[in-house]
Amino acid sequence: MNGNLSKNKPCYIICGGPEGCKTVNIPKDSFTICADSGYEKAVATGIVPDLLIGDFDSISSVPNDEIEIIKAPVHKDYTDTMLAVKTAQQRGYADITLVGACMGRTDHTLANIQTLKYMAKEGLTGRICGDNTDAMLLSGGSVELFPDKSRYLSVFSLSEKCEITIENAEYPLEHYVMTDYFPIGVSNKFTDKPCKITVYNGEAIILSVKK
């Protein structure tokens, strides 16, 4: 695949685990990868992936030859999701969304958050989207979030310290220095206005979680 072309095309990775992806809008022109049992979620949602990758230790059946398959060993250094991310990166994709990457096992959720950090470190644009949880990293700059009152807004520092401003939320903050050992940013609430979050230094993770 031509890397220069694929960089202009988003990649969606449907992860294993219990969180669904029925509400996630996956563009038809995107490159879609299923990480192991993420294939079963794709089938349930009517999505035909371009690539299936993993060790297949948690999948009931492997599809036919119409879908590209990369079989990985069970004993490996990467999670199936990380393996999918590195494969997408090697093929030139720079905008990668992990679909349904939270809920279920806490260790898998933390592993997927670390995968977001890997993507940021590599200069890729990464995010997590799902029926219940959306997440993104922010290191410098601002982001505006749609005011969805069916969800909680939580912001945590992933660096030792993180200076942050939160506007148009029920609990605003102004140039507040968050730390990575006190969860002051948990369970904030949206108002009627778009919420603006600005990180001046450090690294924060921003989560929108269904109530």
Side-chain angles (χ1 to χ4, degrees):
M1 180 177 293
N2 187 309
N4 292 328
L5 292 178
S6 60
K7 285 183 180 178
N8 298 318
K9 186 177 179 181
C11 176
Y12 283 74
I13 298 172
I14 302 176
C15 305
E19 184 174 16
C21 57
K22 294 181 180 179
T23 63
V24 179
N25 180 26
I26 299 179
K28 292 183 178 179
D29 64 342
S30 64
F31 187 77
T32 305
I33 302 174
C34 286
D36 208 86
S37 60
Y39 175 70
E40 295 179 341
K41 288 198 290 187
V43 170
T45 314
I47 298 170
V48 179
D50 298 290
L51 171 64
L52 171 59
I53 192 167
D55 53 30
F56 308 142
D57 64 343
S58 55
I59 191 171
S60 58
S61 63
V62 178
N64 57 38
D65 294 337
E66 294 179 1
I67 299 172
E68 182 185 359
I69 296 174
I70 296 178
K71 178 75 164 63
V74 174
H75 299 288
K76 58 186 185 302
D77 293 331
Y78 305 130
T79 64
D80 291 324
T81 298
M82 177 61 88
L83 186 59
V85 167
K86 291 182 74 68
T87 300
Q89 180 184 17
Q90 290 165 2
R91 296 190 181 196
Y93 293 95
D95 188 309
I96 302 173
T97 301
L98 307 182
V99 179
C102 297
M103 298 180 64
R105 285 176 50 178
T106 305
D107 55 347
H108 282 174
T109 297
L110 290 173
N112 290 332
I113 290 173
Q114 285 200 324
T115 301
L116 282 185
K117 285 180 68 72
Y118 168 83
M119 287 192 278
K121 182 177 178 293
E122 291 291 306
L124 307 174
T125 299
R127 68 192 65 80
I128 290 174
C129 292
D131 290 346
N132 297 285
T133 308
D134 294 343
M136 65 174 293
L137 295 184
L138 188 61
S139 179
S142 301
V143 65
E144 282 197 349
L145 302 180
F146 178 80
D148 185 349
K149 292 187 177 182
S150 70
R151 289 178 171 239
Y152 290 110
L153 169 68
S154 292
V155 182
F156 303 104
S157 177
L158 289 185
S159 51
E160 184 178 358
K161 292 182 179 180
C162 178
E163 185 181 356
I164 190 166
T165 290
I166 301 176
E167 302 174 71
N168 299 327
E170 185 167 320
Y171 306 104
L173 293 173
E174 184 174 356
H175 288 274
Y176 183 86
V177 178
M178 283 187 173
T179 65
D180 60 0
Y181 58 82
F182 187 75
I184 193 171
V186 70
S187 297
N188 207 334
K189 295 181 180 179
F190 289 100
T191 62
D192 293 326
K193 298 179 180 179
C195 177
K196 183 177 180 180
I197 301 171
T198 303
V199 174
Y200 303 98
N201 53 67
E203 186 175 46
I205 184 163
I206 302 167
L207 298 105
S208 170
V209 183
K210 193 172 182 64
K211 293 180 179 178

